[in-house]
């Protein structure tokens, strides 16, 4: 895992020509095309997606790319520019949950999910390249899945709409990879747009693109990858999800989306202490998403700092999915000029974001690096991201 992480963080995606040339050299044929899909940063709205709530992620300027060619038989051959596995080859018919390892779970999971939906998937050769850091909470796995499903949607002529591709990749994650995740990441990757955040209603998949650009406001969005690896197939994510389901059941609602901030006082008398705090996070976080959308429209990104901060506190204290490295990244950023900061993604590691005035960028970077060294933590990787386009065919 760490070797893959290192090569991914340091190398950019190969140019289209390189990827096509490498594909041709490795597989002995020319690919039918090249598709790319981005990772994502969630601006705000954490662990609200599987509660049928609101999220506000954006697609980032870091992508997974796949060169894909169809075969005449039903064999799948997979190769990545960063793995040490060489070409992984398997018959399509042997695909089942548990049958794949490492990064191959993601393309194979997508193929499996499409077949579950009765879509005739052909054998393929596939070469993957990516510069979305793995395990950093930036949805590297969904970037791969969304690049692959875009390719297969085009190559099979299945004509799936973005909403259907979202559900198919969710099925791949939930049932093939074994991570009980929601729909936020793939929605951002498939439906993102340059200069916008994706305001998604997870109850009905309605999307509103909200203008979100840091440059004109003299801000940068810093990502601080703490290098603490996480996996949503581990227990923490599932146990938070179970608490939310329990909360909804006790409160007699279909999903926590249906609980409002004003209902919390009554809810506190009905729920045990821990479940109440989990519920309070989701309910207040949904409200913060709505407030963020409103403030972005009315005043622009410089106005949302306090909401980012409040989101982090809620995840740290109520939902309990932060970790010392994420808390330190947030604190050091805020103490040195960031106007708002929070952990982003599923938690238990991964990355924090810090919305920072351009004039304070160096100070924040230096302060975070020093704070990590002082605490004896692994040096973080710090970089900027901008809201970028969603998945597309590029060759
Ligand atoms: C992960 C999951 C998403 C979402 C976030 C938390 O990224 O894949 O579905 O639940 O965690 O907001």
């Amino acid at each position: 895992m760490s070797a893959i992480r290192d090569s991914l963080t340091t190398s950019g995606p190969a140019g289209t020509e390189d990827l096509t040339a490498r594909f041709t050299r490795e597989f002995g044929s020319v690919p039918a095309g090249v598709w790319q899909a981005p990772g994502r940063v969630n601006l705000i709205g954490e662990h609200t997606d599987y509660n049928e709530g609101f999220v506000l992620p954006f697609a980032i300027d870091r992508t997974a790319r796949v060169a894909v060619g169809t075969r005449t038989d039903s064999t799948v051959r997979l190769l990545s520019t960063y793995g040490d596995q060489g070409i992984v080859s398997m018959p399509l018919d042997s695909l089942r949950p548990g049958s794949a390892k490492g990064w191959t779970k993601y393309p194979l999971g997508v193929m499996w999910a499409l077949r579950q939906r009765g879509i005739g998937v052909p054998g393929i050769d596939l070469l993957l390249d990516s510069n979305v850091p793995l395990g950093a909470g930036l949805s590297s796995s969904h970037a791969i899945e969304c690049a692959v499903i875009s390719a297969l949607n085009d190559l099979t002529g299945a004509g799936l709409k973005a909403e259907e591709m979202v559900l198919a990749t969710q099925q791949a994650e939930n049932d093939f990879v074994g991570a009980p995740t929601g729909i936020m990441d793939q929605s951002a990757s498939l439906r993102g747009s340059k200069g916008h955040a994706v305001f998604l209603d997870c109850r009905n998949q309605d999307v509103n693109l909200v203008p979100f650009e840091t440059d004109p406001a003299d801000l940068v969005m810093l990502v601080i990858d703490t290098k603490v690896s996480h996996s949503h197939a581990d227990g923490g994510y599932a146990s938070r999800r179970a608490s939310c389901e329990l909360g909804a059941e006790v409160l007699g609602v279909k999903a926590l989306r249906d609980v409002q901030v004003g209902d919390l006082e009554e809810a506190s008398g009905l729920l045990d202490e821990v479940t109440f705090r989990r519920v309070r996070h989701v309910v207040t976080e949904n409200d913060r998403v709505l407030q963020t959308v409103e403030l972005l429209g009315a005043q622009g990104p410089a106005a949302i700092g306090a909401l980012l901060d409040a989101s982090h506190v809620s995840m740290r204290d109520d939902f309990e999915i932060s970790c010392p490295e994420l808390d330190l990244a947030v604190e050091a950023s805020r103490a040195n000029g960031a106007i708002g900061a929070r952990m982003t993604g599923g938690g238990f590691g991964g990355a924090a974001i810090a919305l920072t005035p351009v004039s304070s960028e160096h100070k924040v970077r230096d302060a975070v690096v020093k704070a990590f060294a002082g605490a004896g933590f692994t040096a973080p990787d710090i970089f900027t991201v901008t809201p970028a386009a969603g998945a597309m065919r590029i060759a």
Side-chain angles (χ1 to χ4, degrees):
M1 178 79 172
S2 60
I4 295 176
R5 277 195 74 156
D6 291 348
S7 68
L8 272 175
T9 359
T10 49
S11 76
T16 311
E17 257 175 50
D18 289 354
L19 210 59
T20 301
R22 170 106 188 250
F23 181 101
T24 307
R25 205 167 60 241
E26 300 280 358
F27 292 118
S29 62
V30 177
V34 180
W35 289 259
Q36 76 173 24
R40 65 99 190 90
V41 153
N42 189 17
L43 190 54
I44 197 160
E46 223 65 84
H47 287 262
T48 45
D49 61 351
Y50 54 80
N51 289 299
E52 301 188 14
F54 304 106
V55 292
L56 190 62
F58 61 89
I60 59 173
D61 46 339
R62 296 221 167 193
T63 57
R65 292 182 173 183
V66 292
V68 183
T70 51
R71 300 171 55 87
T72 48
D73 61 14
S74 58
T75 300
V76 185
R77 294 196 298 170
L78 304 171
L79 179 67
S80 81
T81 57
Y82 55 84
D84 49 7
Q85 280 178 298
I87 294 180
V88 173
S89 179
M90 70 191 302
L92 261 179
D93 287 336
S94 68
L95 278 186
R96 52 191 54 89
S99 63
K101 291 201 183 64
W103 68 272
T104 66
K105 281 187 281 207
Y106 308 119
L108 293 174
V110 166
M111 300 184 86
W112 175 82
L114 290 177
R115 279 163 65 97
Q116 295 292 304
R117 283 150 195 268
I119 293 168
V121 176
I124 58 167
D125 291 331
L126 180 150
L127 174 63
L128 164 72
D129 187 39
S130 174
N131 68 350
V132 187
L134 279 195
L138 303 179
S139 259
S140 53
S141 59
H142 285 98
I144 299 172
E145 289 167 0
C146 291
V148 171
I149 202 163
S150 301
L152 291 173
N153 195 34
D154 286 355
L155 292 172
T156 59
L160 297 177
K161 290 195 285 213
E163 291 88 328
E164 294 167 303
M165 290 196 274
V166 163
L167 296 179
T169 49
Q170 186 188 25
Q171 188 183 11
E173 278 279 320
N174 292 176
D175 300 339
F176 194 89
V177 176
T181 47
I183 61 166
M184 169 172 72
D185 304 339
Q186 52 277 65
S187 299
S189 185
L190 289 164
R191 306 181 73 182
S193 158
K194 193 171 160 41
H196 294 87
V198 178
F199 175 37
L200 172 70
D201 181 338
C202 299
R203 177 156 269 173
N204 56 17
Q205 290 206 52
D206 271 0
V207 158
N208 276 299
L209 294 175
V210 177
F212 177 66
E213 280 186 301
T214 46
D215 278 12
D218 289 325
L219 294 167
V220 285
M221 182 59 89
L222 287 175
V223 172
I224 302 157
D225 175 3
T226 63
K227 302 283 182 154
V228 178
S229 276
H230 72 293
S231 162
H232 298 323
D234 294 343
Y237 187 98
S239 87
R240 294 305 180 278
R241 195 170 173 152
S243 288
C244 293
E245 279 158 15
L246 173 66
E249 195 186 316
V250 174
L251 297 176
V253 291
K254 176 165 178 276
L256 291 183
R257 147 69 169 274
D258 301 310
V259 182
Q260 309 305 320
V261 174
D263 302 329
L264 282 173
E265 203 181 319
E266 193 188 336
S268 74
L270 300 170
L271 300 167
D272 67 81
E273 195 265 332
V274 171
T275 309
F276 174 67
R277 284 190 289 112
R278 306 296 188 246
V279 167
R280 182 166 61 187
H281 164 70
V282 173
V283 172
T284 57
E285 185 79 349
N286 269 328
D287 193 55
R288 281 185 288 271
V289 175
L290 299 177
Q291 288 186 50
T292 303
V293 170
E294 233 179 270
L295 275 180
L296 281 176
Q299 300 175 40
I304 66 169
L307 289 165
L308 302 184
D309 292 345
S311 171
H312 186 77
V313 169
S314 179
M315 288 187 285
R316 187 191 64 197
D317 299 345
D318 272 356
F319 218 59
E320 295 181 284
I321 53 170
S322 189
C323 63
E325 290 83 351
L326 285 167
D327 291 341
L328 188 59
V330 165
E331 279 155 29
S333 303
R334 285 291 282 114
N336 288 279
I339 63 168
R342 63 186 285 276
M343 52 148 283
T344 187
F348 307 103
I353 52 172
L355 189 57
T356 305
V358 173
S359 56
S360 303
E361 180 184 345
H362 291 297
K363 195 172 170 219
V364 169
R365 282 177 181 264
D366 290 350
V368 172
V369 169
K370 275 205 193 97
F372 270 56
F377 295 157
T378 303
D381 192 21
I382 307 178
F383 51 93
T384 57
V385 289
T386 52
M392 66 175 93
R393 183 175 188 154
I394 53 170

